[in-house]
Amino acid sequence: MGTNGKQRQPAGQGGPPRGGWGWPVTFTRRWLVAVLVGFVAAVTGGMAAADQQRVWAAAAASPAQSSSTGGAGSEANQPKPASEPLEISLSEGGTWDIRQERLVADGQVHVRYQDWTLQADHVEAVLTRGQERLEARGHVVYSRPGQTVKADSLAIDLTNRQGQLEQAVASLELPSNKGILYVAAPSIHANKDRYEVDLASLTTCDLASPHYHLDAQRVTVYLGDRVVVEGVTFHDFGLPLFYWPRLTIPLRQQSTLELPQFGYSRSQGWFVKTAYSYYPTGWQAHGRIHLDYYSLVGWGTGIDHYYRDNPTGKGLLSLYVQPNRLTGHVDTTIAWQDQYQPQPGLTLQGEGQYATKAADDPGLTSTDVSLGTEGRQANEWSARLGVDYQKEPLQLQASWLASGEGVQDLAGVWRSTHSKQTFSWSGRTSLGPQIALSVSGERREVDTTTRTRYSLQVSQPLPWFRWAAGLEQELNPDLDKKGQPITWSAFSRSPYVALTGRPIRLPARFTAQWTAEVARLREAQWNGDMEGVRGLASLQLSSPTWTLRPGLSAGVSGEAQAAAYSGGERQVTVSSTASLTQRWNNGFSVGLRHEDRTVWGQSPFYFDEQFPSEILTLTARYDRAPYAASVSGGYDLYWRQWRNILSEVAWNPGPKAGVTAGLVLRPSGQLVAAALTGQWMPDDRHQVQLGAAYNVPAHAFDQLSGTLRLPLAGPFSVEAMVAYDGTTQVLSQAQAALIWDLHCRTVTFRYDQVQKTFWVQYQINAFPEARVGAGAGQAGVMLDVEGLRNFLDKWSSGNAAGS
């Protein structure tokens, strides 16, 4: 939350108006609904249960006496329902008037019921049927998990389910560990269907005098419907910066209140974005209006209109228009979204979007620049329709997706440059006792190429095995595999019958499972078509890790598969993996791993052809904090060549400090790659990170990067970030920044040498996702330990370029 380890000063009971602090308070849109509802629900939680009045009566009842008085330290623990335990303790004394059914308690009174507790100097409870009420005065503290409310007084009418608090102050934990919200109001009134809060103050700053705050003259919460906020003012730097006369926030959809957003975009310049929500009284429809300004392209306006927002679903229409003074065109975006549930189990979905922009806009990545259309109009469009039906015994899903791009040629005629569409479906139903029919399929078109896949299967589990029969077909299965040779263009397995056995437990904790299948196969290959029948049988064998002796463990798994084809071909494959690991108490371990695939014969089909391999790998590790090291290498027994040797060393003296280095060597000892990363971050104001990856055969760095942050006097600190991309041989990042830490806020002045830009970024730390200001640059990508490992792994197999 950006508290810098400081604690909030206790708020006084009473105090001046406007929540007891004398300040109006800040807030962001998504928390306003959740917090106001949670706040008033917390302080009036006792009214939610209609039978709570009987709990108080049971707790107050005593043996037949007209009155009773307890001394200091006495407790009233009378019989009460076991399902709703309630405890009342007091330090001075209490009286119970049996004729008026009135309990009076004084002196640090503690009340505990379910998951909440109430503390006060004085508590009175009247439990006469039809007149039940509870009053508490003096240092009133109401607590529930994640919520604490302090007030001068609290009064609850249990009969009419109404409540009133005076001079209330609350501390509420926000969802997802996003900090604590502090709320104050001089008066809160609640009943069973509406909450009213006057002069509400909200902030997430934990100082006695918050830096930023939001003030609402009046807040009315209509349970399950909407929140009406009147006279909203946003304050920061001691000044009222923004004002909204009236805001209505629906409770049935995500909140629509937005603070103005400031930022910078390379293509659009400095911008200010604002939004205003509307909610016509009595309408199911609502929405928000956008008004934005960009320094380079100009004004932009739009609207998001929810034409339906109820338990059956939501429907949204959006329009955004921006006359682009850079290109001379009007950029327009039209969008539609709808989710409708006409009956339980049936959901209909749809969405679509159409956008126009300049043809040379970098966002239109697939524009065919060979058309010579720079500066002309381009468009993008997409659409999706879907249906989901879930009602036993039938389950059905289907969807259609389509998208395309177009651009005007020199004659002004629209031409398509890229298009694709996909229709997919799946379903499942029952045909009898444990017999299921399932279908699935997909038809995808990318430009002029079509990919089709479909399958149909009937299956049934039996005591010893599961049988399945069906058919499947694929057309252009390699459509999405760019840069790879396509050896077959169509394949079908129609029909087929397959049996899968249940796992069998064997001695020594081995587990075995068998499968068998007969299928008719067809394949369209680059040199002709192939057709035939295949019989397939396989046996999988696996074991847990065995402990042979203290520190020594082993594991084994394997599979044998045999295939016979109607043309006379045979293919038998035996695969196995065996590992042996020895660990010592001093942190050392040595592991040996053998992976083997032996193949006899050959398949006439490309899709199931197997290739032999055999690799033996030896790994030695040392891991005892703060040090870690490993070295691994192997031998390819099939190709009879040594694999590259990969080594890593790490020193991590703390969770935020460490150095990791890695080397890749050829078996001859020649160095082919090296990488180094280091970081030191003792706190938020000190940070040093360095990274480098070097490609020895290319005599060039793959990447260089560094980040430095050091504190200056007072709340100021400096930061520098540099990154060099060796693949493109350019300086991808070079930034310097001055950071001003204002406890709950941060102001950053940053200069970007690469982009030649300077900007100011303002951020409220308590709401990480709600930046009032946004910078122009992108965060640098450090070469972290995972990035180091990826870099080294590409060399470890010996298949990297230049190896």
Side-chain angles (χ1 to χ4, degrees):
M1 191 187 68
T3 62
N4 292 346
K6 301 178 183 178
Q7 300 296 322
R8 181 178 181 79
Q9 301 296 325
Q13 304 300 323
R18 310 192 68 72
W21 286 309
W23 40 262
V25 197
T26 125
F27 200 38
T28 55
R29 65 186 184 99
R30 67 189 60 195
W31 302 120
L32 188 56
V33 174
V35 170
L36 289 176
V37 174
F39 175 46
V40 292
V43 299
T44 59
M47 300 188 302
D51 58 351
Q52 183 163 325
Q53 47 193 287
R54 304 269 58 89
V55 176
W56 282 101
S62 62
Q65 298 179 8
S66 61
S67 64
S68 63
T69 303
S74 67
E75 294 191 5
N77 289 316
Q78 284 72 27
K80 47 191 171 289
S83 60
E84 295 183 350
L86 180 143
E87 300 176 2
I88 301 177
S89 63
L90 41 135
S91 63
E92 295 182 5
T95 61
W96 166 248
D97 189 324
I98 193 171
R99 289 174 298 181
Q100 297 183 7
E101 294 189 86
R102 180 170 177 264
L103 172 69
V104 179
D106 290 291
Q108 299 181 10
V109 184
H110 293 261
V111 181
R112 180 182 298 276
Y113 174 66
Q114 294 183 347
D115 64 342
W116 60 263
T117 61
L118 176 67
Q119 302 177 35
D121 295 339
H122 178 83
V123 172
E124 295 184 19
V126 176
L127 300 167
T128 304
R129 182 174 296 277
Q131 301 179 19
E132 297 90 346
R133 67 180 185 275
L134 171 68
E135 296 181 0
R137 296 191 301 273
H139 300 92
V140 178
V141 180
Y142 176 94
S143 299
R144 293 183 64 189
Q147 302 173 347
T148 300
V149 182
K150 299 178 181 180
D152 278 0
S153 65
L154 176 149
I156 300 177
D157 184 335
L158 297 172
T159 302
N160 299 316
R161 299 176 64 183
Q162 296 182 351
Q164 184 82 20
L165 290 99
E166 300 296 335
Q167 299 300 334
V169 177
S171 301
L172 308 177
E173 294 182 7
L174 297 175
S176 304
N177 297 319
K178 293 185 180 297
I180 298 177
L181 177 72
Y182 303 101
V183 185
S187 176
I188 297 177
H189 177 75
N191 57 36
K192 59 183 179 181
D193 59 2
R194 184 172 70 252
Y195 300 142
E196 296 177 350
V197 184
D198 292 325
L199 304 177
S201 299
L202 308 98
T203 188
T204 54
C205 181
D206 63 346
L207 297 179
S209 298
H211 285 146
Y212 49 88
H213 41 268
L214 182 143
D215 167 40
Q217 293 290 332
R218 186 177 182 85
V219 178
T220 305
V221 181
Y222 297 89
L223 296 180
D225 186 28
R226 65 191 186 278
V227 177
V228 178
V229 188
E230 301 175 64
V232 182
T233 309
F234 175 77
H235 295 251
D236 205 345
F237 298 101
L239 301 173
L241 300 181
F242 305 104
Y243 175 76
W244 297 268
R246 181 184 175 92
L247 294 171
T248 303
I249 305 172
L251 296 179
R252 295 185 303 273
Q253 62 115 198
Q254 294 182 356
S255 55
T256 54
L257 167 64
E258 289 189 359
L259 294 177
Q261 300 179 32
F262 301 87
Y264 180 84
S265 167
R266 290 182 56 191
S267 59
Q268 297 176 311
W270 294 93
F271 61 78
V272 179
K273 297 181 180 181
T274 62
Y276 179 80
S277 60
Y278 62 89
Y279 193 104
T281 303
W283 287 26
Q284 287 292 325
H286 58 85
R288 55 184 170 183
I289 300 172
H290 300 273
L291 179 61
D292 308 329
Y293 178 76
Y294 297 85
S295 62
L296 295 181
V297 298
W299 291 92
T301 58
I303 184 172
D304 298 326
H305 180 73
Y306 290 85
Y307 58 85
R308 184 181 67 253
D309 185 1
N310 54 46
T312 65
K314 300 178 182 179
L316 171 65
L317 289 172
S318 298
L319 172 66
Y320 193 84
V321 179
Q322 184 172 57
N324 192 324
R325 62 190 181 197
L326 287 179
T327 63
H329 298 292
V330 177
D331 299 338
T332 304
T333 300
I334 303 174
W336 165 71
Q337 296 179 15
D338 199 300
Q339 180 173 325
Y340 181 55
Q341 190 174 23
Q343 64 184 50
L346 176 62
T347 302
L348 305 177
Q349 296 178 329
E351 62 181 62
Q353 178 174 300
Y354 177 84
T356 63
K357 60 177 65 177
D360 54 355
D361 191 314
L364 192 65
T365 56
S366 301
T367 300
D368 187 0
V369 296
S370 64
L371 295 175
T373 57
E374 291 189 7
R376 296 184 179 273
Q377 281 285 86
N379 63 23
E380 298 174 329
W381 63 272
S382 63
R384 183 178 71 88
L385 298 174
V387 59
D388 188 335
Y389 183 79
Q390 302 284 337
K391 195 170 184 178
E392 293 296 337
L394 179 61
Q395 303 175 27
L396 176 65
Q397 300 88 35
S399 65
W400 173 77
L401 299 89
S403 62
E405 299 173 0
V407 66
Q408 282 182 322
D409 61 18
L410 295 177
V413 178
W414 285 99
R415 297 179 56 178
S416 175
T417 61
H418 184 69
S419 64
K420 60 182 179 181
Q421 61 176 318
T422 301
F423 177 65
S424 59
W425 67 92
S426 64
R428 181 182 177 88
T429 189
S430 177
L431 300 180
Q434 294 188 308
I435 300 178
L437 170 66
S438 58
V439 297
S440 64
E442 180 183 85
R443 177 182 173 85
R444 183 177 184 186
E445 296 181 4
V446 178
D447 296 331
T448 58
T449 306
T450 301
R451 169 181 175 172
T452 303
R453 175 190 59 80
Y454 67 85
S455 67
L456 182 148
Q457 184 184 84
V458 179
S459 62
Q460 180 186 28
L462 297 176
W464 295 102
F465 62 89
R466 175 180 178 271
W467 69 267
L471 53 89
E472 66 174 331
Q473 182 172 2
E474 291 190 36
L475 175 65
N476 290 327
D478 294 328
L479 178 64
D480 298 324
K481 297 181 180 179
K482 304 299 182 182
Q484 297 187 18
I486 299 178
T487 54
W488 52 284
S489 59
F491 164 76
S492 69
R493 187 166 63 117
S494 306
Y496 68 86
V497 177
L499 305 178
T500 302
R502 293 185 177 274
I504 303 173
R505 293 295 182 90
L506 301 177
R509 296 190 295 169
F510 271 101
T511 301
Q513 189 172 30
W514 60 270
T515 60
E517 177 188 290
V518 176
R520 183 171 186 82
L521 307 179
R522 299 179 181 85
E523 186 178 78
Q525 304 177 357
W526 65 274
N527 58 351
D529 295 342
M530 178 61 63
E531 182 176 342
V533 176
R534 182 191 68 176
L536 179 69
S538 67
L539 178 66
Q540 299 89 32
L541 194 66
S542 62
S543 74
T545 300
W546 296 313
T547 301
L548 305 180
R549 66 182 187 188
L552 182 63
S553 60
V556 177
S557 64
E559 180 180 4
Q561 178 177 287
Y565 303 88
S566 58
E569 296 88 349
R570 302 288 186 271
Q571 180 176 255
V572 178
T573 305
V574 177
S575 303
S576 65
T577 300
S579 62
L580 187 67
T581 304
Q582 173 67 57
R583 294 181 176 86
W584 290 275
N585 293 332
N586 58 5
F588 279 102
S589 65
V590 176
L592 184 65
R593 183 181 180 90
H594 180 264
E595 300 172 272
D596 176 79
R597 183 190 296 122
T598 303
V599 181
W600 295 273
Q602 185 176 358
S603 169
F605 298 96
Y606 283 106
F607 88 97
D608 69 344
E609 188 173 8
Q610 300 289 331
F611 299 94
S613 65
E614 186 177 10
I615 299 174
L616 187 65
T617 304
L618 178 65
T619 302
R621 300 181 185 276
Y622 174 79
D623 191 354
R624 174 167 286 186
Y627 304 102
S630 67
V631 58
S632 64
Y635 184 73
D636 192 324
L637 297 169
Y638 183 80
W639 294 102
R640 297 187 179 183
Q641 65 179 17
W642 291 95
R643 297 168 66 86
N644 285 339
I645 301 171
L646 173 64
S647 61
E648 292 184 47
V649 179
W651 175 56
N652 298 290
K656 295 185 178 181
V659 177
T660 302
L663 299 174
V664 178
L665 298 94
R666 289 196 173 121
S668 61
Q670 180 185 2
L671 180 65
V672 294
L676 175 69
T677 65
Q679 65 174 1
W680 177 66
M681 295 184 294
D683 52 52
D684 293 339
R685 301 187 66 190
H686 293 79
Q687 179 180 348
V688 178
Q689 289 182 308
L690 298 172
Y694 189 75
N695 186 328
V696 177
H699 302 288
F701 282 98
D702 272 12
Q703 186 178 14
L704 289 171
S705 59
T707 299
L708 175 66
R709 178 182 292 181
L710 296 173
L712 299 177
F716 294 96
S717 60
V718 293
E719 181 182 74
M721 293 184 292
V722 179
Y724 171 78
D725 189 340
T727 58
T728 58
Q729 297 184 352
V730 297
L731 194 64
S732 58
Q733 187 179 56
Q735 297 185 14
L738 175 65
I739 302 171
W740 185 11
D741 187 351
L742 297 174
H743 181 68
C744 298
R745 306 166 299 173
T746 302
V747 179
T748 303
F749 306 90
R750 189 179 301 274
Y751 175 72
D752 191 322
Q753 172 64 25
V754 175
Q755 303 297 334
K756 306 295 184 183
T757 56
F758 173 82
W759 73 98
V760 179
Q761 175 178 301
Y762 171 75
Q763 179 174 326
I764 297 176
N765 297 327
F767 298 116
E769 74 283 3
R771 294 183 179 180
V772 177
Q778 300 293 326
V781 179
M782 284 301 301
L783 182 64
D784 56 12
V785 174
E786 189 62 32
L788 163 69
R789 185 166 290 109
N790 293 337
F791 172 75
L792 298 179
D793 282 348
K794 78 174 184 180
W795 294 91
S796 62
S797 65
N799 297 325
S803 63

